[in-house]
């Protein structure tokens, strides 16, 4: 081997007299093109996002319902649909009270009201700014889209920074030529190939035309480029986690007016009190007493009205049956639909549903006390203003600590029990079916789910592993050997599925064979000879094409088997998603945010391990101790950890790297395409099926958009980020693919949310925080793989580190000759910075772990000292008049003080604003968007259910649904609502249906919050009057039946 012979060989391949190592014009051109590529990536990704962005507009307060009709265009149909003009609240179809005849107009109204609309108008996906998405699904939804958008920016910047590395990889030819063009984008293709008998591949050069440069002189630069890209990612994570998310959470809390601003949740309440039937009244009196006391201690800077409790919802202990009650209500609707199709005839489907309903009835057959006598779990309370909320939270500031709750003053206790008062979640974030599940019950479920998930994940990984091993062993794939140990796969302890040693293809020997010899020998000899020729050489010669026909067939078989394995992995991931969703629901979390967080973490780890870990391990040649240990496994032990690669050599990139890049190319388009395809399928289904339904409930279901499944989207996002970061050093094209994925997914999900999904719950920042926290763990994994990839002496030859650091590394290696190779890998110009980052990240992780262990106590002590030493501390703030004047001008702050919009209005005014922008303005069970269509089946006022004395206003009536022992049937001559409300309702009916006053009933419901609270109860009576032939007579009969003559 000689350097001069190699130069002559490379010059001959380039068609030059000699390679010039002094000029660098060609290299300068590549660097220039790389800079242009970086600019194009940056601008191409940034401009579409910023095109329609603008600053936040002034806050519009909806103090009263709009007088003008509102219109919304349903993107799923070509019609213009007028929304409900009588009230701005979301009205749903009542399967018992309404006519079951399909009504397309009502279904379209339902679509507008139940979707992610603003003031019942569709929002443009193209020009709706990202900050307005918080008005649709809370801060958590906005943060998901901001994360997608920012990740598109970050990966575009990373792709631009590492652009030169991709360019030089593409211009090389070191990788085996198997026709896989994606191999040319990996570092396995860096440099100019030469036979090993000419020169050691470690000394190869980069050739551009007739100019050359030793590869070692460039790899240090490439290492710094990748390190700089990772630093950009790290800086973003720190900015997002510790500045963006807290700032957004605070800003949205200040600028949005939601029920959460006026509400608290009271926990640790006594389950029973002596006068259980008066529980709500006594708790209300207790809260009002505490509010009057705190007002005296913390005087407000402006005048406040008398403290009032606007709404109190007691969560009763139904012995864990709320979930079954919800299922039964849905089953009853299914029975009604089936009967509509049967048209009075016998139907097997009706009989089957009736039997299911009877079984569920038996399960719920145990009798409980009436609702007013059931134990209380917690209470959701809405107060009149935010100042009272702050005062109440201040009064119970020590109650969040269990130790101090034991010493709670008697005056703060309710019926002798120490209680805890905290901010309530958003009403739409509550999972009502799980509210009566106790703490220890949920804890047991979480522990059980953890072990079940671990077992299922282990089984799925083992199955994918064995499937991949078997498919790899049965394929005809050959890995080639250059005759240089540092560049070749391992040759020892390699067996096929039958236990035979596979043929080892030595490229040096194969290049000396003739075509006649290779064809005559056939089999492995022919395959090796064709592999040595390369895909391009074979395609350019007809004789070679004929001779290598069997090789092409083997190559196609290998690709088919690999594709089948990928399909199996995809199917297993889909099945895992379903299982994980069931497990997450089995934990019975109290909120949708908690449910989604649980599923995101489980789905993310499962998909990442199955997608990016198994393929790596299958091709890994483990140390001898591990290989011998797995031999104890009968039948398959000889296949485990006996892959061809102990290091990430050139063959690894051809076999594993290309597969990973291919998977990410598919991942770039498929999720966004599936999202858009589902929208078109939904629209097509509505168009085809709307004339064939037999029941209005079925039509309503058809015109209800699917859920915006943010948990699956977060899991996909995290999987993409992890796979990209882990393998990005050696597969730099992944940064570009990840950027395009984020870009496409952002617009597809935004289109889906605004035009094709139900209004999501008001998510908080929990999911975004957990997602960013998970991304931090991708950085040390990136450092480890970067060291392995950039430290491989053949694929990525690099100069040793000089100076003091180099001398320190050499001294460390001299102490133990066995560690010499490790120190050599860690002390290269292309790897030492990743070693330093890995050490820093590990140290920070240890510190964070210690802070997590002891930080809870420290934080508690700090909070306690602040609360104890500064009990009257309050920020100085402008007057109410100044804040209201500033809001009218569109200002959000005065003299550095951020205005809390909710603090400028009382509940009566906020109620209408919330119903217009962020409904519902209530914590009641029957107002929950996902349960409104079945709430009438869970209320005691439902005509098909026995009643209790309890009003329907507190939530699901256990008295009706759980066979109450204490029933009290109301007088037949009594109104179902307070007398004043009933009389005003009758007057509104008379005005609209007899005197012809337009929207009189709607104006009645929207005029006062008290009237709106009874809308669900009174709507069915309005339906009766509307359907009556003689409306005045129907109103008179209704008045008589209520005893209001």
């Amino acid at each position: 081997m000689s350097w001069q012979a190699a130069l002559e060989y490379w010059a001959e391949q380039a068609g030059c007299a000699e390679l010039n190592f002094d000029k660098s014009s060609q290299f300068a051109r590549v660097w220039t093109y790389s800079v242009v590529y970086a600019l194009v990536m940056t601008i191409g990704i940034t401009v579409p996002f910023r095109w329609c962005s603008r600053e936040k507009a002034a806050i519009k307060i909806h103090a009263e319902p709009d007088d003008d009709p509102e219109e919304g265009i349903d993107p799923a149909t070509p019609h213009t649909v007028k929304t409900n003009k009588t009230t701005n609240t979301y009205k749903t179809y009542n399967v018992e009270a309404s006519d079951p005849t399909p009504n397309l107009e009502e279904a379209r109204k339902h679509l507008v009201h139940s979707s992610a609309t603003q003031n019942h108008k569709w929002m443009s996906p193209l020009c709706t700014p990202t900050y307005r998405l918080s008005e649709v699904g809370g801060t958590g939804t906005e943060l998901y889209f901001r994360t997608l958008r920012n990740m598109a920016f970050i990966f575009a910047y990373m792709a631009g920074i590492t652009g030169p590395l991709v360019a030089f990889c593409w211009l090389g030819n070191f990788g085996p030529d198997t026709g896989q063009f994606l191999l040319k984008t990996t570092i396995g293709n860096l440099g100019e190939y030469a036979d090993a008998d000419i020169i050691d591949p470690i000394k190869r050069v980069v050739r551009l035309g007739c100019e050359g440069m030793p590869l070692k002189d460039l790899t240090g630069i490439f290492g710094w480029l990748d390190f700089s890209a990772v630093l950009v990612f790290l800086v973003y994570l720190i900015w997002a986690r510790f500045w963006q998310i807290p700032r957004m959470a605070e800003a949205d809390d200040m600028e949005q007016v939601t029920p959460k601003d006026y509400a608290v949740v009271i926990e640790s309440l006594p389950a029973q009190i002596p006068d259980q039937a008066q529980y709500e009244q006594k708790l209300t009196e207790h809260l009002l007493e505490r509010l009057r006391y705190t007002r005296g201690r913390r005087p407000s800077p402006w005048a406040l009205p008398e403290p009032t409790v606007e709404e109190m919802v007691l969560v009763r202990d139904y012995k864990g049956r709320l979930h079954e009650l919800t299922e039964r209500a849905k089953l009853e609707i299914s029975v009604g639909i089936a009967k509509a199709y049967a048209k009075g005839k016998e139907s097997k489907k009706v009989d089957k549903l009736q039997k299911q309903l009877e079984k569920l009835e038996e399960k719920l057959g145990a009798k409980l006390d009436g609702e007013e006598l059931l134990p209380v779990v917690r209470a959701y309370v809405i107060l009149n203003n935010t100042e009272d909320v702050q005062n109440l939270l201040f009064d119970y500031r020590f109650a969040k600590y269990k130790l101090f709750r034991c010493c709670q003053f008697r005056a703060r206790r309710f019926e002798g029990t120490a209680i805890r008062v905290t901010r309530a979640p958003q009403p739409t974030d509550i999972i009502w079916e799980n509210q009566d599940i106790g703490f220890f019950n949920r804890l047991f479920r979480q522990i059980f789910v953890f072990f079940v998930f671990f077992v299922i994940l282990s089984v799925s990984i083992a199955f994918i592993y064995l499937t991949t091993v078997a498919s790899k062993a049965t394929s005809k794939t050959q890995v080639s050997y250059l005759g240089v140990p540092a560049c070749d796969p391992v040759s020892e302890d390699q067996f096929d599925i039958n236990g035979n040693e596979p043929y080892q293809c030595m490229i040096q020997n194969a290049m000396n064979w003739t075509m006649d010899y290779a064809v005559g020998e056939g089999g492995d000899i022919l395959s090796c000879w064709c592999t040595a020729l390369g895909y391009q050489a074979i395609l350019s010669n007809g004789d070679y094409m004929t001779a290598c026909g069997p090789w092409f067939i083997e190559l196609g078989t290998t690709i088919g088997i690999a594709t089948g394995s990928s399909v199996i992995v995809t199917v297993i991931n889909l099945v895992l998603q379903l299982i994980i969703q069931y497990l997450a629901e089995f934990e019975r979390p109290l909120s949708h945010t908690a449910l989604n967080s649980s599923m995101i973490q489980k789905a993310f780890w499962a998909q990442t391990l199955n997608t990016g870990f198994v393929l790596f391990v299958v091709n890994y040649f483990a140390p001898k101790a591990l290989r011998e240990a797995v031999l104890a496994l009968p039948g398959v032990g000889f296949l485990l950890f006996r892959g061809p690669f102990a290091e990430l050599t050139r063959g690894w990139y051809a076999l594993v790297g290309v597969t990973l890049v291919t998977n990410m190319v598919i991942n770039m388009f498929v999720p966004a395409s599936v999202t858009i395809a589902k929208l078109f399928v939904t629209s097509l289904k509505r168009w085809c099926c709307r004339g064939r339904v037999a029941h209005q409930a079925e039509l309503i279901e058809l015109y209800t958009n699917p859920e915006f499944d943010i948990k699956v989207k977060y899991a996909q996002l995290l999987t993409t980020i992890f796979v990209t970061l882990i393998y990005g050093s050696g597969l730099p094209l992944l940064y570009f693919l990840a950027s395009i994925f984020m870009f496409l997914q952002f617009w597809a999900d935004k289109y889906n949310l605004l035009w094709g999904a139900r209004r999501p719950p008001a998510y908080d920042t929990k999911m975004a925080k957990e997602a960013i926290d998970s991304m931090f763990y991708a950085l040390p994994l990136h450092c480890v793989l970067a060291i392995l990839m950039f430290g491989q002496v053949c694929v990525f030859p690099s100069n040793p580190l000089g100076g003091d650091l180099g001398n320190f590394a050499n001294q460390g290696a001299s102490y133990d000759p066995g560690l010499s190779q490790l120190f050599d890998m860690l002390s290269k110009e292309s790897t030492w910075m990743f070693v330093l980052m890995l050490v820093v990240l590990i140290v920070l992780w240890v510190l964070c772990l210690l802070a997590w262990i002891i930080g809870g106590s420290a934080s508690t002590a700090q909070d306690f000292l602040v609360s104890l030493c500064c009990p009257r501390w309050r920020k100085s703030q402008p007057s109410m008049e100044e804040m209201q004047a500033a809001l009218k001008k569109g200002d959000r702050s005065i003299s550095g003080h951020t205005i809390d919009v909710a603090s400028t209005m009382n509940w009566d005014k906020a109620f209408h604003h919330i119903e217009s922008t962020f409904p519902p303005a209530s914590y009641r069970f029957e107002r929950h968007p996902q349960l409104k269509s079945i709430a009438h089946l869970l209320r005691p006022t439902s005509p098909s259910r026995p009643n209790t004395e309890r009003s329907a206003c507190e939530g699901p009536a256990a008295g009706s649904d759980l066979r109450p022992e204490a029933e009290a049937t109301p007088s037949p001559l009594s109104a179902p609502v307070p007398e004043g409300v009933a009389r005003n309702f009758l007057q509104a009916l008379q005005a609209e249906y007899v005197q012809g006053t337009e929207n009189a009933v709607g104006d009645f419901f929207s005029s006062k919050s008290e009237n709106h609270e009874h809308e669900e109860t009174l709507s069915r009576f309005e339906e009766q009057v509307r359907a009556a032939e003689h409306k005045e007579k129907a109103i008179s009969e209704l008045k008589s039946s209520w005893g209001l003559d």
Side-chain angles (χ1 to χ4, degrees):
M1 296 187 294
S2 68
W3 175 253
Q4 187 61 37
L7 293 179
E8 292 175 358
Y9 173 80
W10 288 323
E12 181 183 353
Q13 294 294 315
C16 305
E18 63 178 6
L19 284 185
N20 192 324
F21 284 81
D22 296 326
K23 293 184 179 180
S24 59
S25 59
Q26 296 294 333
F27 286 87
R29 181 179 300 176
V30 173
W31 287 103
T32 302
Y33 289 160
S34 299
V35 172
V36 173
Y37 162 76
L39 292 176
V40 170
M41 275 296 300
T42 303
I43 296 174
I45 292 293
T46 306
V47 169
F49 281 116
R50 295 297 185 183
W51 189 265
C52 293
S53 64
R54 55 184 181 270
E55 294 296 325
K56 286 192 176 184
I59 302 166
K60 180 182 178 182
I61 306 301
H62 299 266
E64 298 178 356
D66 296 337
D67 295 329
D68 298 331
E70 296 175 348
E71 293 186 351
I73 300 177
D74 175 7
T77 60
H79 304 283
T80 297
V81 182
K82 291 185 178 180
T83 61
N84 179 23
K85 296 181 290 184
T86 61
T87 175
N88 282 331
T89 59
Y90 163 40
K91 296 180 69 176
T92 57
Y93 171 72
N94 185 318
V95 72
E96 288 193 71
S98 298
D99 185 357
T101 304
N103 187 324
L104 186 58
E105 183 180 356
E106 291 296 324
R108 287 174 175 162
K109 291 179 181 179
H110 167 84
L111 176 65
V112 174
H113 284 265
S114 62
S115 299
T117 57
Q118 190 69 10
N119 296 326
H120 306 158
K121 296 179 180 179
W122 298 98
M123 304 168 71
S124 168
L126 182 61
C127 288
T128 297
T130 307
Y131 70 80
R132 291 201 63 193
L133 299 180
S134 61
E135 302 171 10
V136 173
T139 309
T141 301
E142 179 187 352
L143 278 172
Y144 166 72
F145 282 94
R146 286 191 179 275
T147 302
L148 266 180
R149 184 194 66 183
N150 293 338
M151 280 298 168
F153 293 156
I154 295 302
F155 280 114
Y157 304 153
M158 295 174 72
I161 293 172
T162 58
L165 177 57
V166 178
F168 282 103
C169 289
W170 183 266
L171 296 172
N173 66 357
F174 184 66
D177 185 10
T178 57
Q180 303 175 92
F181 77 95
L182 289 176
L183 176 62
K184 295 176 69 65
T185 66
T186 71
I187 64 172
N189 197 53
L190 265 177
E192 193 74 7
Y193 172 80
D195 292 341
D197 56 354
I198 298 177
I199 192 172
D200 188 343
I202 297 175
K203 299 179 181 180
R204 67 186 184 276
V205 301
V206 175
R207 179 183 61 82
L208 299 178
C210 294
E211 297 178 5
M213 181 178 294
L215 180 57
K216 285 187 176 182
D217 294 345
L218 291 173
T219 51
I221 299 175
F222 295 153
W224 274 106
L225 291 178
D226 186 74
F227 181 76
S228 300
V230 175
L231 277 182
V232 171
F233 185 83
L234 175 60
V235 169
Y236 165 73
L237 292 186
I238 295 174
W239 172 81
R241 179 61 180 85
F242 300 105
W243 191 82
Q244 183 197 34
I245 294 178
R247 175 176 169 271
M248 280 188 56
E250 181 182 5
D252 284 346
D253 183 60
M254 290 290 184
E255 296 185 4
Q256 291 181 359
V257 181
T258 66
K260 182 179 179 180
D261 294 318
Y262 299 85
V264 295
V265 57
I266 307 176
E267 297 179 292
S268 302
L269 286 165
Q272 300 278 356
I273 62 175
D275 192 359
Q276 186 73 1
Q278 301 299 319
Y279 201 110
E280 178 180 342
Q281 179 180 348
K282 288 183 175 296
L283 182 56
T284 300
E285 293 172 355
H286 175 78
L287 294 178
L288 293 178
E289 180 181 350
R290 297 312 306 167
L291 287 174
R292 296 187 187 99
Y293 170 78
T294 55
R295 283 190 180 187
R297 293 195 64 196
R298 303 177 78 235
S300 173
W302 49 75
L304 294 175
E306 185 68 17
T308 58
V309 172
E310 299 292 338
E311 178 182 273
M312 178 176 292
V313 179
L314 298 180
V315 179
R316 303 281 183 172
D317 185 4
Y318 304 106
K319 306 301 181 185
R321 301 185 184 185
L322 280 176
H323 187 270
E324 284 75 14
L325 289 174
T326 305
E327 293 300 319
R328 189 189 67 179
K330 294 177 180 178
L331 190 58
E332 289 191 1
I333 293 179
S334 299
V335 171
I337 295 174
K339 287 181 178 180
Y341 276 101
K343 297 180 180 179
K345 301 178 182 179
E346 293 186 359
S347 171
K348 293 182 178 180
K349 185 175 182 179
V350 173
D351 295 339
K352 181 180 179 181
L353 291 173
Q354 289 284 15
K355 290 179 180 179
Q356 294 178 3
L357 186 58
E358 291 173 1
K359 290 182 179 179
L360 196 55
E361 294 279 4
E362 292 177 3
K363 187 176 180 180
L364 297 170
K367 293 184 179 180
L368 295 176
D369 292 334
E371 182 184 15
E372 73 281 359
L373 301 180
L374 291 176
V376 174
V377 178
R378 64 181 57 86
Y380 295 101
V381 181
I382 296 179
L383 303 178
N384 186 42
N385 53 72
T386 60
E387 192 72 17
D388 283 342
V389 172
Q390 295 291 343
N391 287 339
L392 197 60
L393 293 174
F394 174 83
D395 194 36
Y396 286 91
R397 62 193 182 280
F398 298 130
K400 60 182 177 180
Y401 312 120
K402 191 172 182 179
L403 176 62
F404 299 127
R405 201 156 59 243
C406 297
C407 305
Q408 195 173 81
F409 291 156
R410 182 178 301 176
R412 291 192 177 98
R413 294 172 177 253
F414 175 63
E415 296 292 325
T417 301
I419 61 176
R420 181 161 61 101
V421 181
T422 57
R423 279 201 176 274
Q426 298 290 6
T428 54
D429 197 29
I430 296 174
I431 302 179
W432 265 100
E433 301 94 311
N434 299 340
Q435 291 297 302
D436 59 345
I437 304 297
F439 170 78
F440 290 104
N441 189 327
R442 289 199 308 274
L443 180 62
F444 169 78
R445 288 171 177 269
Q446 291 171 359
I447 296 173
F448 175 77
V449 165
F450 173 79
F451 286 106
V452 172
F453 172 71
F454 179 79
V455 172
I456 293 175
L457 182 59
S458 300
V459 171
S460 68
I461 291 177
F463 181 76
I464 294 174
Y465 186 96
L466 295 177
T467 301
T468 307
V469 168
S471 63
K472 172 176 166 291
T474 54
S475 68
K476 298 293 184 179
T477 303
Q478 276 190 349
V479 291
S480 57
Y481 294 76
L482 298 179
V484 180
C487 302
D488 291 339
V490 293
S491 57
E492 60 173 310
D493 204 11
Q494 295 291 295
F495 301 96
D496 60 20
I497 197 170
N498 297 316
N500 301 319
E501 292 188 7
Y503 177 80
Q504 294 183 6
C505 176
M506 300 298 297
I507 297 297
Q508 283 182 275
N509 298 334
M511 293 299 295
N512 296 322
W513 297 337
T514 64
M515 183 175 65
D516 293 336
Y517 170 77
V519 172
E521 292 292 327
D524 291 332
I525 298 294
L526 177 61
S527 297
C528 182
W529 180 72
C530 295
T531 300
L533 286 176
Y535 187 81
Q536 293 296 330
I538 295 174
L539 290 180
S540 62
N541 189 305
D543 293 336
Y544 290 167
M545 284 281 294
T546 303
C548 292
W551 180 73
F552 277 106
I553 294 176
E554 292 178 359
L555 186 62
T557 302
T558 300
I559 294 174
I561 293 175
T563 303
S565 299
S566 298
V567 171
I568 291 175
V569 172
T570 302
V571 172
I572 291 177
N573 282 338
L574 291 176
V575 173
L576 272 178
Q577 277 189 13
L578 298 177
I579 296 175
I580 289 171
Q581 182 169 358
Y582 174 78
L583 291 177
E585 293 174 353
F586 179 79
E587 291 178 343
R588 298 292 180 87
L590 298 179
S591 68
H592 290 282
T593 298
L595 172 66
N596 291 337
S597 296
S598 174
M599 184 171 175
I600 286 171
Q601 295 298 324
K602 294 180 177 64
F604 152 61
W605 285 112
Q607 292 177 7
T608 301
L609 292 175
N610 290 340
T611 304
F613 174 76
V614 174
L615 184 63
F616 181 90
V617 174
V618 165
N619 292 278
Y620 174 59
F621 186 77
K624 184 177 180 180
L626 182 56
R627 299 199 310 271
E628 292 178 350
V630 297
L631 287 175
L633 299 176
V636 295
F638 71 97
L639 292 175
L640 301 179
F641 298 110
R642 284 172 171 77
F645 306 107
E647 297 183 35
L648 305 184
T649 56
R650 63 192 285 270
W652 185 90
Y653 294 93
L655 188 61
V656 180
V658 168
T659 303
L660 289 171
V661 176
T662 302
N663 290 342
M664 296 303 289
V665 169
I666 296 173
N667 177 76
M668 180 174 63
F669 295 105
V670 170
S673 301
V674 170
T675 299
I676 298 300
K678 286 182 178 179
L679 297 181
F680 285 104
V681 169
T682 300
S683 300
L684 182 62
K685 184 179 178 181
R686 285 187 189 135
W687 185 80
C688 295
C689 300
R690 62 191 180 189
R692 303 177 184 178
V693 297
H695 199 288
Q696 178 68 357
E698 190 177 12
L699 187 62
I700 289 294
E701 182 179 358
L702 184 64
Y703 272 78
T704 300
N705 277 325
E707 174 191 3
F708 183 74
D709 203 350
I710 195 172
K711 52 186 178 292
V712 174
K713 298 180 183 299
Y714 257 123
Q716 182 69 41
L717 169 68
L718 289 174
T719 299
T720 301
I721 291 174
F722 261 69
V723 173
T724 300
L725 263 294
I726 290 174
Y727 298 106
S729 296
L731 311 174
L733 187 65
L734 294 182
Y735 298 136
F736 171 82
L737 300 179
S739 178
I740 300 301
F741 165 82
M742 305 295 173
F743 175 83
L744 296 177
Q745 197 65 34
F746 175 90
W747 290 108
D749 284 346
K750 194 174 181 183
Y751 186 97
N752 179 30
L753 173 67
L754 297 180
W755 279 6
R758 292 199 305 264
R759 176 184 288 269
Y763 296 121
D764 58 21
T765 61
K766 181 179 179 180
M767 287 185 291
K769 288 180 180 178
E770 291 181 350
I772 296 295
D773 289 342
S774 298
M775 294 177 197
F776 278 104
Y777 291 97
L779 292 171
L781 294 176
H782 177 91
C783 292
V784 172
L785 266 294
I787 293 171
L788 294 176
M789 291 174 170
F790 291 166
Q792 216 287 324
V793 295
C794 180
V795 171
F796 210 77
S798 180
N799 294 316
L801 186 64
D804 294 336
L805 290 176
N807 295 332
F808 176 78
N810 293 332
Q811 292 175 5
S814 65
Y815 289 121
D816 187 350
L819 296 177
S820 177
Q821 184 178 358
L822 176 61
F823 273 94
D824 181 62
M825 178 183 294
L826 300 180
S827 60
K828 293 180 178 293
E829 289 183 347
S830 58
T831 59
W832 73 269
M833 68 286 284
F834 292 101
V835 176
L836 180 60
M837 176 181 280
L838 179 61
V839 172
V840 172
L841 290 173
I842 291 176
V843 171
L844 291 177
W845 179 81
V846 172
L847 293 177
C848 290
L849 182 62
L850 293 175
W852 178 76
I853 295 174
I854 66 175
S857 301
S859 176
T860 299
Q862 179 184 0
D863 293 344
F864 170 73
L865 291 175
V866 171
S867 301
L868 182 65
C869 299
C870 309
R872 297 177 180 272
W873 178 82
R874 176 198 294 272
K875 284 185 178 180
S876 60
Q877 49 188 328
S879 66
M880 178 68 70
E881 292 75 13
E882 290 175 332
M883 291 193 294
Q884 291 176 342
L887 288 177
K888 290 181 180 180
K889 297 178 181 178
D891 297 333
R892 296 181 181 82
S893 62
I894 302 177
S895 302
H897 173 81
T898 303
I899 301 175
D900 184 359
V901 180
S903 67
T904 65
M905 61 182 80
N906 294 332
W907 176 249
D908 285 340
K909 184 178 180 181
F911 176 87
H912 298 290
H913 177 77
I914 294 171
E915 287 293 345
S916 299
T917 59
F918 221 100
S922 173
Y923 281 86
R924 290 175 182 166
F925 177 91
E926 57 267 27
R927 292 295 315 282
H928 197 287
Q930 295 185 5
L931 300 174
K932 290 187 70 174
S933 60
I934 62 172
H936 64 283
L937 297 174
L938 303 175
R939 294 197 306 263
T941 53
S942 177
S944 65
R945 299 277 175 263
N947 268 315
T948 65
E949 290 182 354
R950 186 73 185 148
S951 168
C953 297
E954 278 193 7
S960 63
D961 295 302
L962 300 175
R963 306 288 193 274
E965 291 180 348
E967 286 190 15
T969 306
S971 170
L973 295 178
S974 62
V977 296
E979 181 178 343
V981 176
R983 290 188 181 277
N984 292 335
F985 173 68
L986 292 171
Q987 293 176 4
L989 289 175
Q990 185 78 15
E992 179 166 342
Y993 293 103
V994 177
Q995 301 172 5
T997 303
E998 186 178 1
N999 300 331
V1001 176
D1003 293 340
F1004 161 77
F1005 284 132
S1006 60
S1007 60
K1008 296 181 179 179
S1009 59
E1010 181 184 14
N1011 297 343
H1012 184 79
E1013 291 170 0
H1014 299 288
E1015 181 179 1
E1016 293 291 337
T1017 304
L1018 297 175
S1019 292
R1020 62 190 182 97
F1021 297 106
E1022 182 188 4
E1023 294 286 343
Q1024 294 174 6
V1025 173
R1026 182 185 292 119
E1029 183 177 357
H1030 302 288
K1031 293 179 172 53
E1032 187 172 8
K1033 181 180 178 182
I1035 296 173
S1036 178
E1037 292 176 351
L1038 184 61
K1039 185 177 182 180
S1040 299
S1041 68
W1042 288 354
L1044 299 177
D1045 289 334

